Amino acid sequence: MRVLFVVQGEGRGHLTQAISLEKLLRENGHEVVEVLVGKSESRRLPGFFIRSIQAPIKHVVSPNFLPTRANRRANLSRSVMYSLLKLPEYYESMCYINRRIRETGADLVINFYELLTGLTYFFFRPAPPLICIGHQYLFLHKDFRMPKKNRCASFLMNMFTRLTSLGASRRLALSFRAMKDDEKHRLSIIPPLLRQEVFEQEPTSGEYIHGYMVNSGFSEYVSRWHKEHPEVPLRFFWDHWEEEPIRKIDDTLWFYQLDDHEFLRQMAGCKAYASTAGFESICEAMYLGKPILMVPAHIEQECNAYDATLGGGGIIDEGFNLDKLLAFAETFRPDPVFCTWVRSSRYIILNEMEKYVAHDSMQEMYMVEEYV
């Protein structure tokens, strides 16, 4: 089958999921004809994604969270107001997505949580079936319990999640653990979609703390902690493309531009991992057996962090207090059940993809027979 991807370009999670799925589809005889990446002017597409994806990549202007002035957490009201001003451009992006679906001859469209894909299916009704993939769809599951705080933000996030999947044949909810499917919401529960490079790592327990922050403003927390504990080596990755590839503060604090091969290599050798709670990197750290400190930057990451703590994968903090992480690391034990669940992902996900295309093709065949 010919498959077209539409990917939200915020952070690294959806991008690495797209890399993993493209490789899986190609290895099983399918073709990814094109990858459309929704991005804003404030984000630059990481080099690792451009190097890893084999299909042609095209960009579309898309809504994204805008950070606060301190460049830490997302500013919801500012993001909404900015998006309203950009509506004409977003409409042009929807027209472009619809045109690319038609012109590439795609048999299937896979959406990695890009809002404009759902809206394109709502307004233009493209013919190929749509499958949506993301951890966020788990929050719609009838048995999932949201964090009790920020109920309004949780409601808005779930509304956003539904909008991304308007017209979808199926929502594939990436989950830390196995759960029953939810047919009412057209939800299948699937394991995390990790890249092959993760499985090739050989974890060791080093002396440094590894980290990733989606907004570079969090570096102030890290620098402040470092001044009090200069003896602890810290290696943090950030999305700060104006900086040089490696910014060495001193002998024990380094900031890196996001390079996924180096990111995974250093994660495999670290003592512990601190992150702004993106789903993908939490799963990578859990699979490699690393204790995790999560510092959510917005409501979606708050849900990721809350869900990860239910299985004992990590702890939550508001400002990269690495003392808590080091204390947690003393008693942390990896979860072998999670690793088994992750390793089953290739078969489960491929089965879901082929099942819905086969179902769509059978429906078309029956329609032709009835017409004849």
Side-chain angles (χ1 to χ4, degrees):
M1 58 186 173
R2 295 168 59 82
V3 184
L4 182 138
F5 286 3
V6 191
V7 188
Q8 185 201 114
E10 179 87 2
R12 66 180 286 274
H14 304 292
L15 300 175
T16 57
Q17 290 163 16
I19 292 170
S20 303
L21 188 56
E22 186 198 42
K23 187 173 188 297
L24 176 61
L25 291 173
R26 288 185 181 277
E27 288 175 349
N28 287 273
H30 305 297
E31 178 186 3
V32 178
V33 293
E34 197 165 272
V35 179
L36 306 180
V37 181
K39 60 185 293 294
S40 65
E41 296 172 357
S42 63
R43 300 286 186 188
R44 175 177 291 183
L45 197 59
F48 77 84
F49 183 77
I50 297 171
R51 292 190 299 270
S52 300
I53 285 286
Q54 295 186 36
I57 300 172
K58 293 183 169 59
H59 303 280
V60 294
V61 179
S62 168
N64 271 300
F65 286 118
L66 296 180
T68 59
R69 296 192 182 279
N71 197 19
R72 294 172 189 157
R73 292 175 172 82
N75 187 321
L76 185 59
S77 58
R78 183 167 170 247
S79 301
V80 171
M81 293 301 297
Y82 181 79
S83 295
L84 290 175
L85 295 174
K86 302 278 284 185
L87 281 177
E89 290 186 55
Y90 298 153
Y91 177 76
E92 288 297 322
S93 292
M94 286 189 284
C95 293
Y96 182 73
I97 292 171
N98 184 51
R99 187 165 67 250
R100 296 313 301 156
I101 292 173
R102 184 175 62 252
E103 292 178 355
T104 57
D107 303 306
L108 176 69
V109 176
I110 298 177
N111 183 32
F112 296 85
Y113 206 61
E114 170 52 54
L115 171 64
L116 296 184
T117 312
L119 296 178
T120 298
Y121 267 77
F122 180 78
F123 288 112
F124 297 98
R125 312 285 187 185
L130 171 66
I131 292 179
C132 295
I133 297 179
H135 179 57
Q136 296 86 345
Y137 300 111
L138 183 66
F139 308 153
L140 303 178
H141 194 285
K142 60 184 177 63
D143 294 330
F144 185 82
R145 296 293 175 261
M146 302 285 284
K148 292 184 179 180
K149 63 178 183 178
N150 295 331
R151 291 186 182 276
C152 179
S154 297
F155 171 80
L156 292 174
M157 184 191 65
N158 279 345
M159 182 175 71
F160 181 94
T161 299
R162 288 185 172 91
L163 291 176
T164 68
S165 56
L166 290 172
S169 299
R170 199 70 175 174
R171 298 171 173 132
L172 304 185
L174 301 168
S175 173
F176 291 118
R177 64 194 64 85
M179 298 172 62
K180 291 183 178 180
D181 293 347
D182 183 351
E183 295 303 329
K184 179 181 177 181
H185 294 101
R186 302 191 309 281
L187 270 172
S188 292
I189 304 302
I190 62 174
L193 185 56
L194 303 186
R195 294 187 301 132
Q196 182 61 33
E197 286 86 343
V198 178
F199 305 114
E200 295 170 355
Q201 302 299 318
E202 295 184 7
T204 58
S205 184
E207 296 300 318
Y208 62 91
I209 295 176
H210 176 54
Y212 170 65
M213 55 190 77
V214 68
N215 294 324
S216 59
F218 280 110
S219 61
E220 293 180 15
Y221 289 123
V222 175
S223 298
R224 192 181 309 144
W225 189 89
H226 172 67
K227 288 179 180 178
E228 299 175 2
H229 306 83
E231 75 284 358
V232 181
L234 305 177
R235 303 179 186 180
F236 271 76
F237 286 72
W238 60 6
D239 189 3
H240 198 358
W241 51 268
E242 298 94 341
E243 290 282 352
E244 60 243 61
I246 302 175
R247 182 179 174 187
K248 181 179 178 181
I249 306 301
D250 54 36
D251 289 341
T252 54
L253 175 57
W254 298 38
F255 290 104
Y256 295 78
Q257 284 282 17
L258 191 54
D259 179 296
D260 228 40
H261 294 293
E262 184 65 14
F263 179 86
L264 287 177
R265 188 186 70 81
Q266 295 208 26
M267 178 180 280
C270 73
K271 181 175 184 177
Y273 177 63
S275 162
T276 42
F279 175 76
E280 198 72 7
S281 69
I282 294 173
C283 290
E284 291 167 349
M286 289 175 65
Y287 184 82
L288 295 172
K290 305 298 180 179
I292 309 167
L293 176 75
M294 295 164 283
V295 186
H298 47 70
I299 181 60
E300 174 192 320
Q301 292 184 347
E302 287 180 13
C303 294
N304 292 345
Y306 171 76
D307 196 21
T309 60
L310 296 180
I315 56 174
I316 301 174
D317 186 57
E318 294 187 356
F320 284 98
N321 183 350
L322 301 180
D323 288 318
K324 292 183 179 180
L325 177 58
L326 292 174
F328 175 68
E330 294 297 323
T331 58
F332 172 77
R333 295 292 180 271
D335 181 6
V337 175
F338 176 79
C339 296
T340 302
W341 170 238
V342 168
R343 285 193 289 267
S344 68
S345 64
R346 294 172 58 86
Y347 311 102
I348 294 174
I349 292 171
L350 191 63
N351 180 62
E352 288 288 344
M353 299 285 147
E354 295 179 336
K355 179 171 61 178
Y356 279 91
V357 169
H359 179 263
D360 187 71
S361 300
M362 289 296 291
Q363 281 189 324
E364 290 183 3
M365 183 181 73
Y366 291 143
M367 289 174 65
V368 170
E369 289 179 348
E370 288 174 4
Y371 177 77
V372 174

